[in-house]
Structure formats: C-alpha cells, structure tokens
C-alpha cells in the first residue's frame, strides 16, 4: 500500500529576490513523497499567492486527498481529487517519479519525450535601481541569457544600464504585470532598442486587451494570463509565446499537453519556474526539447540546494541525476 508524506520547507534566497509585486527572502515550498514500501517518488511545489494559493491551503488539500492517494490515485485522476494547481503539481511529479523507479526506467521514456540534454537557462536579475541592476549585469555578463525583472518607474534606464554592462548577453524581460496600456508601446520600443528578444506579461492579466492592437516589435509572452489548455484560446491575437510552469498547469502531465498544443498554434514556448529547488526544476527540464526559451534558474538564486542537486555549469543546466528525480 502507498504512503503519502507532506513536508513544508523553507530555502533561503542568496541575498534577496524582488519583482514588481514585492520581495522574497526565501523559497517556501511543499515537498510530497509517495512510497510503495520499496520505492519513493518525490515532487515539489510552490503555492503562489498571485494565484490564490498558500502553503497551508495546499497542505490541507493534500491531506484531504491522502486516502485517495494511498488507495492508488492515478495521475489522470488528480485534477478531480485536488483543487490547488500547486498541490496537483507535487502529486503528479511524485507519481511520475514513483512510476519510473518501479519500472526501472526514466520518466522521459515513460512520457515519450525526447532524451534530455544539457541546455542553457536564463539567469534572473532581480528588480532593483538602474545602477544596481547595471552592477548585477556586469557580474553576470559572462552568462549567455539574462532575464531582467522590470515593472516599475525607471525601466528604460534599467534596460540601458544592463545592456551597457552586458553587451553580448541575450536579454529577455519580465514585467510581472507592471506596465500599463498607456506606456506599453513605449516600453516595448525601449526593449527593442537594446535587443530584448522576449517580454513576459507586460500588462495585468485582466487588462491585457491592449496587446491585441499594439505594435509589438518584441514578441510578448503570456505568463500570468496563461495556465492550462483552457486558457489558450484567450491568448490569440495578444501573445506570441506562452510561459509554461508546472505549478500553474498542475503538473508535468498537463504541461506536456499544453506545450504540444501551444506548438500546434505556432506559439513560442518558454519553460519557466517559481523560486524553488532542483527537485522542482527536474520535471520541468524534461520539457526543454519542446521549448524555445528555458528559464529554470531557481536553484541558482538560493543559498543552498538539495542533495544531489541539478548540476549547473554557469548557465548550462544538466539533466537531473536519477537520485534526485526521474
């Protein structure tokens, strides 16, 4: 018979992490372990207040599903048994890990995905003053792909400072819903002027209609506006790409379906993450072969990580070790 274990964990950030909505000093995660007596499957999720989810709520939902999980709940049944998407993610990933260990094979093979290979991840520069972001860019200028957190007054100067100090790095931007329709085109033009390749969620998810008629010299990626398959239709005409995060989709299983559906609609695919450990990055990395942009740098922003961790050689991210997941 299965046994379910649930653990609340806190992983300090190396320094601080700031976006347009506020700052964090730690990654507050929930780890799920499902064992059959001989094998253990693990999953990690990050309940996110922006989506109306909290750690206590997710733990309560998982406890509420304990009987069903321990009785043999299948991955295909998770959505009907658990409401919060973060909780679904932890369960889904733990069941994939358990199935792989039971079968003696890798998750990518069970899921009929391409074999994972090393891939370059974006490295995030936390939102700060223009001067501070310029200094951070100088320290990270050796990295091939930088992600700038923007969304407050002074973003034009932030862009200029980062480009000046990291002249050869590719740049992407995440405004985290911090811009408004009246400055949208000016900000997209400023991004284009310094060679930004992608802008995530410039407008609030409930006020993004202005994207439909706007000049978009830089491709725009839906993040807070995009969750599962049911949100794809609403993106048409407004977005050029979609950021797929397992905590939004509710696990690896729906994320695979979403990535394939986005490809069919000619949307670029970005694989993203919340601030979390290597255990959360491991299943997301299996989607890297389906993606145009990989943003799985969560562990690089923490003061410590799990053992064994995913290996990062600068910004080159390696497939997760089997002892971690998958």
């Amino acid at each position: 018979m299965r046994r379910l274990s649930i653990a609340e964990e806190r992983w300090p950030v190396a320094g601080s992490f700031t976006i347009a909505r506020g700052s964090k000093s730690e990654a507050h995660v929930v780890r799920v372990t499902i064992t059959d007596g001989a094998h253990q499957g693990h999953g990690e999720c990050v309940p996110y207040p922006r989506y109306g989810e909290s750690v206590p709520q997710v733990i309560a939902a998982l406890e509420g599903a304990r009987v069903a999980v321990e009785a043999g709940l299948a991955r295909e049944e998770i959505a009907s048994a658990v409401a919060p998407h973060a909780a679904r993610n932890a369960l889904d990933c733990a069941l994939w890990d358990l199935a792989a260990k039971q079968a003696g094979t890798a998750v990518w093979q069970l899921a009929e995905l391409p074999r994972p290979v090393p891939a370059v991840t974006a490295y995030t520069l936390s939102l700060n003053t223009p001067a501070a972001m310029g200094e951070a860019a100088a320290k990270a200028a050796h990295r091939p792909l930088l992600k700038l957190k923007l969304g407050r007054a002074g973003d034009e100067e932030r862009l200029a400072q980062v480009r000046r100090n990291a002249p050869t790095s590719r740049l992407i931007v995440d405004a985290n819903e911090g811009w408004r329709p009246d400055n949208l085109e000016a900000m997209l033009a400023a991004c284009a002027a310094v060679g930004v390749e992608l802008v995530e969620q410039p407008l609030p998810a409930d006020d993004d209609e202005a994207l439909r008629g706007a000049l978009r010299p830089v491709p725009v990626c839906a993040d807070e506006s995009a969750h599962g398959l049911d949100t794809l239709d609403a993106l048409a005409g407004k977005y050029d790409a979609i950021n797929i995060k397992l905590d939004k989709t509710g696990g690896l299983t729906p994320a695979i379906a979403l990535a394939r559906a986005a490809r069919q609609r000619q949307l670029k695919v970005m694989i993203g993450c919340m601030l979390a450990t290597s255990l959360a990055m491991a299943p997301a990395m299996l989607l890297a072969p389906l993606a145009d942009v990989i943003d799985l740098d969560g562990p690089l922003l923490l003061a410590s990580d799990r053992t064994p961790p995913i290996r990062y050689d600068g910004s080159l991210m390696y497939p997760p070790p089997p002892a971690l997941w998958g």
Side-chain angles (χ1 to χ4, degrees), residues 125 128-141 158 161-162 165-166:
L125 301 185
N128 208 323
T129 65
M133 290 190 73
E135 292 175 7
K139 294 177 182 177
R158 292 184 179 92
Q161 292 271 10
V162 168
N165 290 337

Side-chain angles (χ1 to χ4, degrees), residues 259-271:
R260 289 172 172 160
R263 281 290 188 198
Q264 291 174 353
R265 294 176 183 235
Q266 308 303 311
L267 287 169
K268 291 181 179 293
V269 173
M270 178 179 188
I271 302 303

Side-chain angles (χ1 to χ4, degrees), residues 1 20 36 43 45 55 58 64 108 134 145 156 191 196 227 244 265 285 298:
M1 182 177 175
D36 64 0
C45 70
V55 168
V58 164
W108 67 267
L145 179 61
E156 295 95 331
C191 287
V196 170
H227 295 263
I244 298 175
R265 294 176 183 235
M285 196 193 179

